[in-house]
Amino acid sequence: MRLFSQQEINTGRQYAVDMAKMFAIFFMVIIHTFENGEAEMDSGIGYFFDSIVGAQFGAPVFMVCMGIGLTYSRKSDSKTMAHRGLLLLLAGYLLNIARALPMFLLVPATHDTSYYADGINALTDVDILQFAGMAFLLLALCRRLNLSFVWLCLLAIVMSVAGSFIRKMDFGSFWINLPCSLIIGIDTELVKTDFPLLNWFSFVVAGYGFGLLLRRCTDCNKLNCYILPVTALIYAAYTAYALPRGIGMFGDCPQDFYHMNFLDMIICLDASLLGISLCHFIAKVMTDNLMQSVTRICNDLTKIYVAQWIIIMWLVRGFMTEYMGWELSIGWLFVVGLGILVLSIGWARVKPLSKLKI
């Protein structure tokens, strides 16, 4: 039997994708808690979560899964995608306001005006929601222009290569850096891009292409039996070489990952496929009730992401770290992170957050 058919036969829910997104949100909540709790991130557990599992198996997995989701979406016309993009952009900047408020409130509480810069930085930060919004808008334009998938791939490659050189930028003007931060990697005191469109759009396009293959796959077990060992070998070999040498995204600067070059994009894409493939086999041994719980979490993923950031910025960063000056061990911060994850999942299911269309 051929591995791929001419017809689309695998059109049901992809539980491996759900499982991969659930692991990714777990890694991201723990990392955000570590970072804002001022844990040691240069070595040990902190480095493991921040620079390995939480990096390559975190945000890139979200982007790839977003691309896969587009192929399984019933509404993927240009108008719907553009509307979705604008909504995500709005949600991203509203979340920035919620994250910036505790920084501004620390000024009168501590009489330390340096928190103004932290607040402005939180307001202008280009995070995953802003990137997702820009990606949807660009995809809507491509759909409107009737670009084929081949042209979409070429566009993504050109953007990634360009992003390899146009990164960690500062144009010397806040008002120039601000709009540019949505597209290219800006790295200044007041304006910072975590997910520039140039560097990260390739993950969405790759996910879209993988989704097109999945829809025609006749045997997902066989497909993942091919993918898993190949991607694992590539990832293990590159990590073993690059990690001890501090090459690329394994460098000392966090923006080496966020403003990643073309090679790092390929490795992170490899890691994403590795994670999704591994989750395929994990999902197969899960009970139906557990998979329903995973699916529910994935349906609320954007709301959970919003909730965890609000809790972390107000509780961990604003109150515990900055106001109280607590220095928790990384073990305790891990426990706090787990608690925040549980709280965020619960908060996403109650009003008003449960009613948000994001």
Side-chain angles (χ1 to χ4, degrees), residues 92-107 115-125 309-310 313-314 317-318:
Y93 283 110
L94 288 176
L95 176 59
N96 280 4
I97 293 173
R99 294 194 300 179
L101 277 175
M103 297 298 100
F104 289 128
L105 291 174
L106 281 168
V107 175
Y115 287 116
Y116 280 132
D118 293 334
I120 294 172
N121 186 271
L123 279 175
T124 61
D125 187 28
W309 260 128
I310 294 174
M313 288 303 292
W314 282 81
R317 177 79 182 277

Side-chain angles (χ1 to χ4, degrees), residues 103 105-115 318 322-324:
M103 297 298 100
L105 291 174
L106 281 168
V107 175
T110 64
H111 306 290
D112 185 351
T113 57
S114 67
Y115 287 116
E322 303 294 349
Y323 185 71
M324 298 300 296

Side-chain angles (χ1 to χ4, degrees), residues 76-89:
S76 58
D77 59 281
S78 60
K79 184 177 179 180
T80 301
M81 285 195 290
H83 181 265
R84 175 70 170 164
L86 291 173
L87 193 62
L88 285 167
L89 271 176

Side-chain angles (χ1 to χ4, degrees), residues 1-248:
M1 180 185 294
R2 295 178 59 184
L3 188 56
F4 299 104
S5 72
Q6 295 296 322
Q7 293 78 32
E8 294 185 341
I9 58 175
N10 181 32
T11 56
R13 183 112 192 174
Q14 301 302 298
Y15 293 108
V17 174
D18 286 345
M19 185 69 67
K21 289 192 290 186
M22 188 192 72
F23 279 119
I25 195 65
F26 163 74
F27 293 140
M28 294 182 74
V29 171
I30 297 300
I31 289 174
H32 294 160
T33 304
F34 283 174
E35 289 175 340
N36 289 279
E38 296 190 349
E40 173 58 53
M41 307 297 284
D42 295 330
S43 61
I45 296 175
Y47 185 80
F48 176 74
F49 270 93
D50 185 45
S51 298
I52 304 178
V53 294
Q56 292 82 20
F57 297 96
V61 171
F62 280 130
M63 312 306 189
V64 172
C65 290
M66 187 173 88
I68 295 173
L70 284 172
T71 66
Y72 283 86
S73 175
R74 295 178 181 177
K75 295 183 179 180
S76 58
D77 59 281
S78 60
K79 184 177 179 180
T80 301
M81 285 195 290
H83 181 265
R84 175 70 170 164
L86 291 173
L87 193 62
L88 285 167
L89 271 176
L90 176 61
Y93 283 110
L94 288 176
L95 176 59
N96 280 4
I97 293 173
R99 294 194 300 179
L101 277 175
M103 297 298 100
F104 289 128
L105 291 174
L106 281 168
V107 175
T110 64
H111 306 290
D112 185 351
T113 57
S114 67
Y115 287 116
Y116 280 132
D118 293 334
I120 294 172
N121 186 271
L123 279 175
T124 61
D125 187 28
V126 175
D127 212 335
I128 279 184
L129 292 182
Q130 285 89 340
F131 163 78
M134 292 297 293
F136 268 104
L137 289 174
L138 180 54
L139 286 169
L141 176 61
C142 293
R143 182 62 57 88
R144 187 73 174 177
L145 296 174
N146 292 318
L147 293 186
S148 67
F149 180 67
V150 173
W151 282 106
L152 199 59
C153 287
L154 289 174
L155 173 63
I157 291 171
V158 169
M159 290 174 66
S160 181
V161 172
S164 300
F165 299 97
I166 309 172
R167 58 179 187 159
K168 303 179 185 178
M169 299 293 292
D170 180 4
F171 292 104
S173 168
F174 174 85
W175 299 109
I176 296 177
N177 287 331
L178 188 60
C180 289
S181 64
L182 286 166
I183 300 173
I184 65 177
I186 300 293
D187 187 17
T188 70
E189 182 183 6
L190 297 181
V191 181
K192 178 171 62 69
T193 310
D194 285 335
F195 298 98
L197 186 66
L198 279 184
N199 304 72
W200 288 81
F201 186 64
S202 298
F203 292 106
V204 181
V205 174
Y208 183 79
F210 187 62
L212 293 177
L213 286 177
L214 277 179
R215 291 181 67 90
R216 296 189 293 107
C217 183
T218 59
D219 189 342
C220 286
N221 287 330
K222 188 176 181 181
L223 174 65
N224 285 286
C225 281
Y226 289 141
I227 293 174
L228 186 59
V230 173
T231 54
L233 180 61
I234 292 172
Y235 179 73
Y238 181 79
T239 302
Y241 176 78
L243 181 61
R245 294 169 175 81
I247 296 174

